[in-house]
Amino acid sequence: MTPNSTRPIAVLFLFAFLTSASYVLTSALGVSWYLGRVGASALPVVLAASAVAVVFVSSLTYAAISSVRTRRCLVICWSLMLVVSIILSLRLQTSGHSVYLLGLLYVLGEIRGCLNTVFLTTLATDQFNNSSSKRPYAMVAAGAPSAGIVVGLMMGYDPSHFSDVRFIQVIAGLDAAVLLLALFLPRSHTSTDNRAAPANANSASDEKDSGPVIEQSDVYRFRFSLAMLLVMETAVLTLIGFQWKYAVSEYLHENETAMIAYFAMYYAATDILILSFQLAVAGRMLDRFGIGVALVGYPLLLACTGAVALFTQLIWSWFVLMTLTRGLDVVRRSLHDPSLSAAFALFHAKTRRKVIVFVKGVCKPTAEVITSILLLLYADGLGFQRFTIYWWCLLIPWIIAAWTVSRIYRSYHPSLGNASDEKCRNFNHNNTAAQEYREQEHHEQSKQLGQRPHLNDSQR
């Protein structure tokens, strides 16, 4: 990490903080109010509705980000969420128990989570795709748990101090702060290069400019494995999330105030652990052991808790076990998610943005839609153990996909541990050739414009 990367890390950290704070508020309020005022029996309905909405929004984002700059697309998305938050704050004053308004708040929380992931991953990979260290990814990701700590402690201390409308107004204020921060977001190296390039520049050189050169067969396998990983992860976490929320609702007897306090303190406690882990050891672990340990290790830990869940019978033990299982988000957010973000940096810049939005914004919510619809149709007839068996079986293709992603990434990404690898040598050779090509091209352009060409150190 260089001094020049300090400012981008700080700005992206603040972006992660503000967007995560609004997500935690919206999610905790949406779940608590919906379960408390509507009931857990209607949970599969809103899960399916939110998943369909997320697919729709992410599909629009996928279409927009292909032709619109990332910053402009970000401003449009958060402007729309600000408008929706203001409308909700006005409507909740008169219709605080409306099923549709409460469902809209729940859906808005899921949309925020999807957009946060897509844009933070895109901005981080655009900025740090040439970095050999994974620490910038971990430091930027630390903004999310920091927000969870602040918001969780604020809500968990005494939620009765804040009215429904005041909570939504705070969310709207956070959206406005994100729009202001958009003015200071760092410009990616890729976008700068593209703007500086002449109109008739060779597209092949742009591709070499923007990322490692990998074999086409590996590109397809890498993209498929990433999609499979996200699909299986989403299906598993959707089933675990349903079990968790249902267990909390049953154990706390649908007490709205108690559920708000529980969810708030849960987010605060897990985020304290996540932040401590990210700042202390996450960056070092990723640099030392690579992304494979995190990508494969997280589903293996879920497999362990799932094995214990097969022997769980009582509601209080469900509550404790599902809280611990959901608490493995500490591993997911501190190690697994930064590793996944780093994996996307292997693609060329033009391809990378589309793959991020397609995998995280289309494949992931589509898997959530399918899982939620299955929950809506069959949740009533399934027991706790049956749920566990289903998501435990889905861990097998998840682990296989994670292992494939880590293996392909390790074979191309240059590091001290695999510098002798043949593909690593090809990577360095191709990047050197691309640099010489760009210098020659710049020399020819300068001669055509009648300018004195810039000389590099070796030419001087």
Side-chain angles (χ1 to χ4, degrees):
M1 187 174 65
T2 63
N4 293 333
S5 64
T6 303
R7 182 181 178 276
I9 289 175
V11 175
L12 291 178
F13 175 92
L14 186 57
F15 174 80
F17 180 91
L18 294 173
T19 55
S20 297
S22 60
Y23 166 73
V24 171
L25 271 171
T26 308
S27 181
L29 294 174
V31 173
S32 302
W33 289 348
Y34 192 85
L35 291 176
R37 302 177 189 184
V38 181
S41 59
L43 186 58
V45 177
V46 75
L47 282 175
S50 62
V52 171
V54 168
V55 169
F56 177 73
V57 171
S58 58
S59 299
L60 292 179
T61 306
Y62 176 76
I65 208 168
S66 302
S67 55
V68 180
R69 293 187 180 182
T70 304
R71 184 181 304 188
R72 186 175 300 175
C73 190
L74 184 151
V75 169
I76 294 173
C77 291
W78 262 263
S79 298
L80 292 174
M81 287 193 288
L82 173 60
V83 172
V84 174
S85 298
I86 294 174
I87 294 174
L88 276 173
S89 67
L90 296 175
R91 293 296 305 274
L92 284 173
Q93 296 181 17
T94 57
S95 305
H97 287 75
S98 170
V99 175
Y100 300 105
L101 285 180
L102 297 176
L104 178 60
L105 181 62
Y106 187 103
V107 170
L108 183 61
E110 298 301 311
I111 291 175
R112 287 183 184 277
C114 175
L115 293 180
N116 288 359
T117 302
V118 167
F119 280 99
L120 186 60
T121 304
T122 300
L123 292 170
T125 52
D126 281 353
Q127 188 64 37
F128 308 122
N129 66 308
N130 293 324
S131 174
S132 60
S133 174
K134 305 300 178 296
R135 295 187 184 185
Y137 293 99
M139 295 177 69
V140 167
S146 301
I149 294 169
V150 174
V151 175
L153 292 177
M154 180 191 72
M155 295 178 64
Y157 177 69
D158 191 354
S160 61
H161 282 323
F162 291 87
S163 64
D164 296 359
V165 177
R166 182 60 57 85
F167 273 126
I168 306 301
Q169 289 173 346
V170 171
I171 295 171
L174 291 170
D175 290 337
V178 171
L179 292 175
L180 180 62
L181 182 67
L183 299 174
F184 304 95
L185 287 173
R187 297 183 184 275
S188 67
H189 304 306
T190 303
S191 59
T192 302
D193 293 342
N194 290 341
R195 285 194 300 273
N200 61 348
N202 193 322
S203 60
S205 67
D206 292 341
E207 287 293 295
K208 293 179 182 179
D209 245 355
S210 56
V213 180
I214 63 177
E215 298 174 6
Q216 197 66 20
S217 59
D218 286 339
V219 169
Y220 292 131
R221 287 198 302 127
F222 194 59
R223 183 164 48 192
F224 175 79
S225 299
L226 281 170
M228 179 63 67
L229 189 157
L230 262 296
V231 167
M232 293 298 105
E233 177 187 352
T234 301
V236 170
L237 295 184
T238 300
L239 293 175
I240 291 176
F242 175 79
Q243 280 185 300
W244 175 51
K245 293 168 186 175
Y246 187 84
V248 170
S249 178
E250 290 293 311
Y251 182 73
L252 298 178
H253 306 290
E254 298 184 352
N255 186 313
E256 179 182 317
T257 303
M259 285 190 293
I260 291 178
Y262 166 80
F263 285 118
M265 295 307 295
Y266 164 81
Y267 286 125
T270 54
D271 285 335
I272 288 174
L273 295 174
I274 292 169
L275 181 62
S276 302
F277 203 75
Q278 284 176 331
L279 296 180
V281 297
R284 295 193 192 95
M285 285 189 63
L286 292 179
D287 285 344
R288 181 175 179 81
F289 300 107
I291 67 173
V293 173
L295 294 180
V296 179
Y298 176 55
L300 287 177
L301 289 175
L302 289 177
C304 295
T305 59
V308 176
L310 294 176
F311 303 96
T312 303
Q313 299 292 337
L314 303 176
I315 186 62
W316 68 266
S317 57
W318 291 359
F319 172 77
V320 173
L321 182 62
M322 294 315 301
T323 299
L324 292 175
T325 302
R326 188 69 177 186
L328 288 176
D329 273 359
V330 173
V331 178
R332 178 176 67 86
R333 291 172 56 189
S334 60
L335 286 175
H336 180 273
D337 288 355
S339 298
L340 197 57
S341 297
F344 283 102
L346 198 62
F347 289 106
H348 303 305
K350 293 180 180 179
T351 305
R352 182 172 62 243
R353 295 183 181 182
K354 294 181 180 180
V355 172
I356 290 173
V357 179
F358 177 73
V359 172
K360 289 196 170 186
V362 178
C363 294
K364 182 178 178 181
T366 300
E368 189 173 358
V369 168
I370 296 173
T371 308
S372 301
I373 292 175
L374 292 176
L375 282 173
L376 179 62
L377 296 176
Y378 302 109
D380 292 338
L382 296 178
F384 186 85
Q385 281 78 10
R386 186 70 63 83
F387 267 110
T388 306
I389 292 173
Y390 287 154
W391 64 256
W392 201 87
C393 292
L394 292 176
L395 291 173
I396 298 174
W398 178 0
I399 293 172
I400 295 174
W403 180 81
T404 304
V405 168
S406 63
R407 185 173 61 84
I408 295 176
Y409 181 85
R410 187 174 61 250
S411 67
Y412 283 103
H413 193 272
S415 63
L416 294 177
N418 63 357
S420 61
D421 187 89
E422 181 180 355
K423 289 182 178 179
C424 258
R425 291 196 300 269
N426 292 337
F427 169 86
N428 293 327
H429 172 75
N430 288 333
N431 275 353
T432 302
Q435 179 65 26
E436 293 175 354
Y437 178 88
R438 291 195 298 272
E439 290 176 358
Q440 181 181 0
E441 186 183 54
H442 181 70
H443 180 83
E444 295 295 331
Q445 291 169 2
S446 299
K447 289 172 59 179
Q448 292 174 4
L449 294 175
Q451 298 176 350
R452 181 175 179 268
H454 296 289
L455 301 178
N456 57 28
D457 293 338
S458 60
Q459 290 171 327
R460 292 191 187 98

